[in-house]
Amino acid sequence: MNSSHFSILNPASWFSCGLEISRRLRYSANTINLIILITLVNLVLYHVPLYSFTVNNLNGLHSNSILTIITLSVIIFVVTALLISLLLQISQKLLKPISMLMFLGNSVALYYVQTYQVILDKTMMGNILNTRYSEASGFFHTNLIIYLIIFGVVPCLLLLKIRIQYTSRLRLALFSLMVLPWSYVINTLRFQTSLLSRSQEQILLPPATLSSKEKTVVILVIGESARARNFSLYGYNKPTNPWLTKSGAIALKNTVSCSTYTTASLSCMLSHNNNSSLFSEQYEPLTSYLQRYGVDVDWRTKNWGEPPMKIQSFQKSSDLEKECKDVNECDKDGVLLSGLSERIQSSKKQNVFVVLHQKGSHGPEYYTRYPSQFEKFKPVCKSVELNRCTNNELLNAYDNSILYTDYFLNRAINILKSLDNRPRMLMYISDHGESLGEHGVYLHGTPYTIAPDVQKEIPFIVWMSSEFLKKEGISLEQLKQQERHSQENVFHSILGAFDVQSDVYKQQFDIFSGVPSKK
């Protein structure tokens, strides 16, 4: 190998280096020794984030932290070796292909753990597996290829050159526990197992009646990755809500999400029992329920993660693009408003329920979530590796996406204002918040019990026409004084807005029911 042509920053150099080492290597090992070697490779290459976390949280490298690292290393070594031994009970010929797949998987996992400080538990693996290619491609960076080659391809090439001397199965231990970053494997299996338990047929909710004779229009906007602390309506020091401030909308206080990822939060919003479990969708959701009792339901989405639902009008952004008139917004959330006014006015139903599911402020490409004219806060972060941006650049990119959401919501409100004098209401609530580098954490999806507040604290904004206020007998001042809210309020507040009478309706979760009591 010519060292003059080798560059540590060039992936091709690492690849050729690996090939050269692999070509020269001639080695044989029995199964047990090879398990030990593979386990040591796993221990050394893929657990740096764990060791770093240990040192940082034990205030540096001293006797206590060293002892902790040694203990962790022993546990990881034993667990990994036992896991591989368990897999080899099927066939020892699986050792190489399984190990190579793990090398490649661990290299990718290591990149994302190092870059975004994510935890690859069951929740996060569910979030990943529900991500579409168009979203996943936004996380791509050339450094990912470098990680893949150095920590994945090179170990695979070296392993290929080792000849295995098979040993007795009796010498292989049985064990089934996994730890970081191997955790993504077991949690992927847990996620897929849970999918198999999803009910094939949803249980119908009990009978309902719509007591109001007034034509009512309700728009529910489901935001994405919006955190309350970056809304000027909640006291943020940057003017991210110039349009909503003038619209007459009300920002409800102290709202928390049911989860830190989209799919579970949507299940919670649309569930009568406020269940945020991704796989417990045994009952029909709000949309199907309203549709079944005569409400015209129109779901428009630029996102995904919806629970199974039975509605007649489900439109993706690609379906709406043909009606989009503003080229600057056809690939943004604005496409969701295409033809919306005409759609509502043409409805022959007494009540109309529209859901707009935004792309919102989904990271890491915050700078792509808004048209160029909304880049008010500068300079902005334009890298998917958020830790390489300054805090100011990252916040500016994110805040511009919130500014565009503000504009989008105001446009939706103006559509409602343009309709006839029927009761009209818009409700906006985000699916979860977002981490923007606080404590070294980015994005969302952290397990709920340890997730930072910024991933749970979300905006909850309501606009109501005078006719709606009168119909519901609502006091704006009392509504503003309500102290706590959550996504659990959505299902029952929407039922209340349509004056639905049902055994599943819970008045205590209806934000309109106690401001003051309905007539």
Side-chain angles (χ1 to χ4, degrees):
M1 180 176 61
N2 190 342
S3 60
S4 64
H5 293 108
F6 179 81
S7 171
I8 193 170
L9 297 178
N10 186 352
S13 297
W14 283 97
F15 186 77
S16 59
C17 176
L19 285 175
E20 180 67 15
I21 294 175
S22 177
R23 185 182 66 80
R24 296 183 181 183
L25 184 63
R26 293 291 182 272
Y27 182 71
S28 63
N30 64 43
T31 305
I32 298 298
N33 289 337
L34 193 51
I35 289 174
I36 294 173
L37 177 62
I38 291 170
T39 302
L40 287 173
V41 171
N42 172 68
L43 187 66
V44 173
L45 292 186
Y46 308 119
H47 288 80
V48 173
L50 179 60
Y51 301 139
S52 176
F53 177 85
T54 302
V55 172
N56 291 338
N57 284 271
L58 291 178
N59 300 318
L61 195 63
H62 47 76
S63 58
N64 188 29
S65 60
I66 292 174
L67 180 60
T68 301
I69 290 175
I70 292 174
T71 302
L72 288 172
S73 299
V74 171
I75 294 172
I76 293 171
F77 181 89
V78 172
V79 168
T80 305
L82 289 175
L83 173 68
I84 296 175
S85 298
L86 173 63
L87 294 174
L88 296 188
Q89 293 303 307
I90 302 172
S91 171
Q92 293 184 40
K93 293 181 179 180
L94 293 174
L95 180 56
K96 281 190 177 182
I98 287 175
S99 299
M100 292 169 68
L101 286 174
M102 292 301 176
F103 288 154
L104 296 172
N106 282 348
S107 66
V108 175
L110 180 65
Y111 169 78
Y112 285 110
V113 171
Q114 288 275 58
T115 304
Y116 298 110
Q117 304 299 311
V118 296
I119 298 175
L120 300 177
D121 71 333
K122 177 185 174 183
T123 296
M124 179 58 73
M125 293 314 302
N127 198 23
I128 292 170
L129 293 174
N130 275 287
T131 298
R132 297 181 181 179
Y133 172 77
S134 58
E135 180 181 322
S137 61
F139 290 85
F140 178 79
H141 191 276
T142 52
N143 283 348
L144 173 59
I145 300 300
I146 296 176
Y147 269 75
L148 185 62
I149 292 175
I150 296 176
F151 298 103
V153 174
V154 171
C156 287
L157 292 174
L158 295 176
L159 182 60
L160 279 175
K161 286 299 182 179
I162 299 178
R163 295 186 294 273
I164 303 177
Q165 298 174 354
Y166 298 118
T167 188
S168 170
R169 287 187 177 182
L170 295 177
R171 300 182 60 190
L172 300 177
L174 300 175
F175 207 72
S176 60
L177 187 64
M178 295 282 271
V179 292
L180 180 74
W182 295 78
S183 60
Y184 73 89
V185 178
I186 191 64
N187 283 309
T188 298
L189 295 176
R190 289 176 64 203
F191 178 87
Q192 295 294 352
T193 300
S194 299
L195 279 180
L196 296 177
S197 66
R198 175 180 281 191
S199 175
Q200 295 296 317
E201 286 293 329
Q202 293 177 331
I203 300 172
L204 299 181
L205 297 179
T209 57
L210 279 69
S211 59
S212 176
K213 296 182 180 180
E214 298 185 73
K215 294 184 177 180
T216 302
V217 179
V218 173
I219 295 179
L220 169 63
V221 181
I222 300 175
E224 170 65 57
S225 302
R227 56 191 218 171
R229 68 173 59 185
N230 287 69
F231 278 60
S232 54
L233 285 175
Y234 289 100
Y236 190 45
N237 59 7
K238 291 162 72 173
T240 53
N241 300 129
W243 289 282
L244 284 178
T245 300
K246 300 176 182 178
S247 71
I250 297 173
L252 303 181
K253 297 186 290 186
N254 301 320
T255 306
V256 294
S257 62
C258 294
S259 81
T260 59
Y261 63 108
T262 302
T263 318
S265 290
L266 286 179
S267 293
C268 181
M269 291 183 206
L270 303 178
S271 170
H272 74 288
N273 58 5
N274 309 128
N275 197 328
S276 63
S277 173
L278 177 56
F279 314 108
S280 61
E281 298 151 350
Q282 298 178 351
Y283 294 88
E284 64 179 333
L286 173 65
T287 47
S288 301
Y289 192 39
L290 292 177
Q291 172 91 49
R292 192 158 60 89
Y293 283 94
V295 177
D296 185 357
V297 178
D298 182 18
W299 187 289
R300 297 172 165 223
T301 180
K302 194 169 174 59
N303 211 322
W304 42 83
E306 301 89 354
M309 60 180 72
K310 295 180 180 179
I311 57 175
Q312 293 180 353
S313 180
F314 185 98
Q315 302 182 80
K316 299 178 181 179
S317 57
S318 56
D319 302 321
L320 297 165
E321 287 175 0
K322 61 185 96 173
E323 299 183 57
C324 184
K325 298 178 181 178
D326 187 341
V327 294
N328 293 319
E329 293 195 81
C330 291
D331 64 337
K332 312 299 181 188
D333 284 336
V335 72
L336 300 177
L337 302 177
S338 299
L340 180 58
S341 178
E342 295 80 2
R343 168 68 177 83
I344 295 173
Q345 294 185 57
S346 66
S347 176
K348 297 180 181 179
K349 295 292 184 69
Q350 175 81 4
N351 299 287
V352 179
F353 180 45
V354 178
V355 182
L356 307 176
H357 189 190
Q358 290 182 283
K359 187 77 171 194
S361 302
H362 199 289
E365 297 175 299
Y366 304 114
Y367 67 97
T368 68
R369 304 301 175 220
Y370 52 86
S372 58
Q373 63 267 34
F374 289 88
E375 194 165 280
K376 177 178 179 179
F377 308 111
K378 300 177 182 180
V380 301
C381 173
K382 294 192 175 181
S383 171
V384 298
E385 293 197 309
L386 303 181
N387 58 351
R388 294 182 177 272
C389 297
T390 67
N391 180 253
N392 184 51
E393 291 171 338
L394 181 55
L395 281 173
N396 284 341
Y398 181 83
D399 289 342
N400 287 330
S401 72
I402 299 298
L403 180 67
Y404 179 56
T405 288
D406 181 75
Y407 170 77
F408 172 85
L409 293 174
N410 187 63
R411 283 188 59 197
I413 290 173
N414 286 337
I415 289 175
L416 289 178
K417 288 180 177 179
S418 69
L419 301 177
D420 54 17
N421 296 324
R422 66 172 79 177
R424 292 147 286 157
M425 187 267 288
L426 178 140
M427 177 183 292
Y428 166 76
I429 189 167
S430 185
D431 57 355
H432 50 73
E434 189 85 337
S435 285
L436 297 174
E438 295 88 358
H439 310 293
V441 179
Y442 297 90
L443 305 177
H444 54 268
T446 303
Y448 197 82
T449 53
I450 62 172
D453 290 341
V454 290
Q455 292 190 29
K456 303 175 184 177
E457 297 171 348
I458 55 175
F460 190 4
I461 296 168
V462 178
W463 177 89
M464 298 159 287
S465 70
S466 58
E467 294 83 3
F468 184 86
L469 291 169
K470 181 179 179 181
K471 177 175 81 78
E472 299 297 314
I474 294 173
S475 164
L476 289 179
E477 289 307 313
Q478 287 183 300
L479 185 59
K480 293 176 182 178
Q481 290 171 12
Q482 292 180 0
E483 287 298 324
R484 298 196 176 278
H485 304 86
S486 76
Q487 291 171 338
E488 298 174 345
N489 295 121
V490 174
F491 182 97
H492 304 282
S493 298
I494 297 297
L495 288 189
F498 286 117
D499 295 321
V500 174
Q501 296 180 352
S502 169
D503 289 343
V504 297
Y505 169 73
K506 298 177 182 178
Q507 185 178 16
Q508 66 269 28
F509 289 109
D510 181 355
I511 63 172
F512 306 123
S513 66
V515 287
S517 298
K518 289 187 176 182
K519 298 177 180 179

